[in-house]
Amino acid sequence: MAIGTDGHTVFHTVLGSCVSVCLHDPIAGIGGMNHILLADDTSSGARAGQMATHAMELLINGLIKTGAAKERLEAKVFGGALLSSGLGAAGARNFADVRRFLDVEGLPCLAQDVGGFQARRLEFHPSSGRARIRTVDAAPVERVVAVSGAGADLELL
């Protein structure tokens, strides 16, 4: 989680199945961003959504301590892609947990770019609330060419 108040601060993150929520108070000129790694692995019960809830509460409380007013906060949500079948629906669960939290708390979501099959690079300007997304092309898989001895140099091509 990160919070910024000046016009020179820019937050960056890369999102795959992770979800980031950017909150902004347009009157105070304060904003913040969190990064929710993986949805709780229980699909129901008391722990479902716990990670998203905790991340959102930390962000909101940090913004309020910095001078934002909860009733003025506006949200933008990004990420939640399906990058690997091994992760299952983690991205979709992350996004659902975040949207449920925003709905319960009455925080409007002004923009979202979620789902799909590509990672995203997020740039967020906390003082203005401006967000910029770029998709990230899949990187080629690198292979080990030579390894010699413990602690030796490693050459990747």
Side-chain angles (χ1 to χ4, degrees), residues 14-115:
V14 176
L15 302 163
S17 62
C18 307
V19 170
S20 277
V21 178
C22 300
L23 293 178
H24 177 248
D25 177 337
I27 303 300
I30 298 171
M33 177 175 74
N34 62 19
H35 188 123
I36 301 164
L37 296 177
L38 291 173
D40 190 32
D41 59 4
T42 56
S43 59
S44 63
R47 291 182 44 125
Q50 186 176 13
M51 292 180 79
T53 300
H54 183 66
M56 292 301 299
E57 288 176 351
L58 285 174
L59 181 56
I60 291 170
N61 289 338
L63 287 166
I64 291 169
K65 286 179 185 174
T66 310
K70 184 178 176 186
E71 61 273 6
R72 294 191 307 245
L73 292 177
E74 302 169 338
K76 295 178 181 176
V77 183
F78 307 98
L82 177 62
L83 299 181
S84 166
S85 59
L87 290 175
R93 287 194 313 269
N94 279 335
F95 174 64
D97 290 344
V98 164
R99 282 310 304 250
R100 188 171 24 260
F101 182 92
L102 293 173
D103 290 344
V104 167
E105 294 296 321
L107 298 174
C109 183
L110 302 184
Q112 66 185 39
D113 183 47
V114 296

Side-chain angles (χ1 to χ4, degrees), residues 106-128:
L107 298 174
C109 183
L110 302 184
Q112 66 185 39
D113 183 47
V114 296
F117 301 98
Q118 284 189 289
R120 296 165 172 85
R121 184 174 186 278
L122 169 60
E123 176 183 293
F124 179 61
H125 300 256
S127 64
S128 69

